[in-house]
Amino acid sequence: MLTFLQKSTEGQRFHCDHMENISGYLMKYTNLVTGWQFRYFVLNNEAGLLEYFVNEQSRNQKPRGTLQLAGAVISPSDEDSHTFTVNAASGELYKLRATDAKERQHWVSRLQICTQHHTEAIGKNNPPLNSRSFSLASQGSGNSPGSQRRSSQNAASFFNLGHHRMVPANRRALLLQPDHLGDVREMISKTEIQQRDLMRSIEGLPTAGHLSSLDQDLLMLKATSMATLGCLNDCFQILHQQHIALQRHIPATGTTINWLEAKIPIPNHLKNGEEVGLTVQESKEQDLLRETQVLSDSTLASGEPEDINPEDEVEDGCDLKEDDLGAVEEQRSVILHLLSQLKLGMDLTRVVLPTFILEKRSLLEMYADFLSHPDLFLSISCGLTPEERMVRFVEYYLTSFHEGRKGALAKKPYNPIIGETFHCSWRVPKDSLQLSTSSEKPPNTQDQAPHSEDSNKPDCYTIRFVAEQVSHHPPVSGFYAECPERQMCVNTHIWTKSKFMGMSIGVTMIGEGVLYLLEHGEEYTFTLPCAYARSILTVPWVELGGKVNVNCAKSGYSAAITFHTKPFYGGKLHRVTGEVKHNATNNVVCKVQGEWNSILEFTYSSGETKSIDLTKLPITRKLVRPLEKQGPFESRRLWKNVTESLSAKDIETATEHKRALEERQRAEERLRAETETPWITKHFKQEGEGWFYNQPLWKSSDSGQ
């Protein structure tokens, strides 16, 4: 590895011949486990191939991989100035990284020239096929889209492009005239009508037979026709906004925030103090503009923590129920369209998922559900021995997942935008804590969720929680909770990484958490399981999977927990097993089995057993501040319009509000990159590979001592 690094950093060696072939070392992203690896790449300009080898010495051997560049897309990445991607027409993708921006530009420009040359050559040598129509009514002819495929599957089959003469500059200028735009809009409208007729015809076919509505080619035809119309509408919108900008004499500003927000036109509803009546569409656009403007005005406040007044907090009355299967059934064509664009193992971090699958809350708020049983959390510190405290931690840990799911249907919480925060707290009656280990049942006090008027009573412990999205790429969240009276706190950072797995979506929780019991001087390090959304085309549901570990270095106790995914044949859902042992003696002191969302059974070394029914375990509601007292970057206020639109089943408006937030985030990220302005976090700071709360309880404890 060091040898490769020296080869790359001491000066990349490019070999150029008369055919403009280039070669040299680049880093190639392999997978999550292996990560980045140095590989020797060769651009064969004459053949239109990008090949790579393990090293330069193996160049005369068979390449480890080859990409056909005809029809490929070469894209510099916005992650940094070194990374770029090569997307082949076959769907294969190489994610590559050069040593610096200059080297990346050299590779990108050479690859683009080669790609353009071979794509144009294929178009010239393979003129477009004669147009033909396919009637769904002529089923008896025996012709199906599958039988009409050409046998050739080389690159030429992907690029039968018609080549037209370039339009002169004076002719191109006329394309932005209003009457021409109107003609284009009319043509797109007619195309949309024809596309809807096509969809109805396909959906009207029987589900079985020679040509059915479930035919793979017809499903792909539906998906691609929808995608094509979407692209046409986006292009028309851009032309329309450019025309408006020219009329208002707004100079071109390149790739800026204003350009990205072209889909949200600036309304001119107020003139000379007179308010003009607004249409429904204009009112939506005004809300979007106001939402974007609030974020813009708040950007300068990055790095400044919100002013939190605990007296403003009230018991959370928000109980947003998620839609049942109906919403998913109605949007099946959208899911099919999305699936047609994905590959097995594809990273979904940058994929924009349809709005209707969203849960009505942010991921940061979902993390707060880990403390839905705060009495069990605080009871950890009440253990009299290290063994008892470790067992109590495992009991709390396994009861912390079920409340995170608001229903049987798998839905995805909002992706937090950088700088977003969430604050809440809990009041826990002191007499609800377990003070000793015995065969006693877990607390079942009905008055575990005191109302806000009880918040100042001295017989309650207070747990405060704060979460912040500290990074956009990669998407990293940090959250912290503390109870000063019990001298305990927990600090966690998580990077959620999603990938497509065919009929499932897998989410890996990269990172770790640490529970600090300051009274005992113990630190419990733990990881989190993976989550899977199964059966995404029928009834999507969630299961957890993978092995997690809990370790306490001081006491020498550890726990190994396995979340079992359902086997293909038979087996139970949501099964979990685990054991707690003393590392020095290898003695198992506790075993657990059951379901993480139902009943857990604990067996101790003493022979005693205990069962916890999670469906009957009381939930303590968190305390939050009303929306009007929250800052513009706090989760509920930030996503307020999206949540309201989803609750009203107005998917289109929810999508527009969501897009406004995401486009603002991307635009500001580019602006920071151009001006070399670092993002300043509010509550967390990075130390090594982790993120830690700025004012943790252990620091104040150390200073007090």
Side-chain angles (χ1 to χ4, degrees), residues 281-314:
Q281 181 62 28
E282 289 172 337
S283 178
K284 289 182 179 179
E285 292 175 352
Q286 189 181 49
D287 290 341
L288 286 169
L289 180 66
R290 186 183 300 110
E291 176 180 331
T292 308
Q293 186 63 42
V294 168
L295 285 177
S296 177
D297 295 341
S298 304
T299 302
L300 297 177
S302 65
E304 299 178 4
E306 299 88 352
D307 184 16
I308 308 298
N309 185 358
E311 295 182 358
D312 293 335
E313 293 180 331
V314 296

Side-chain angles (χ1 to χ4, degrees), residues 475-496:
V476 180
S477 307
F479 62 88
Y480 172 86
E482 68 176 22
C483 179
E485 297 165 288
R486 297 299 309 170
Q487 283 292 287
M488 59 188 301
C489 60
V490 60
N491 188 99
T492 308
H493 64 274
I494 299 176
W495 167 19
T496 55

Side-chain angles (χ1 to χ4, degrees), residues 88-99:
S90 63
E92 194 169 1
L93 180 145
Y94 285 178
K95 185 175 181 180
L96 308 174
R97 179 175 291 169
T99 56

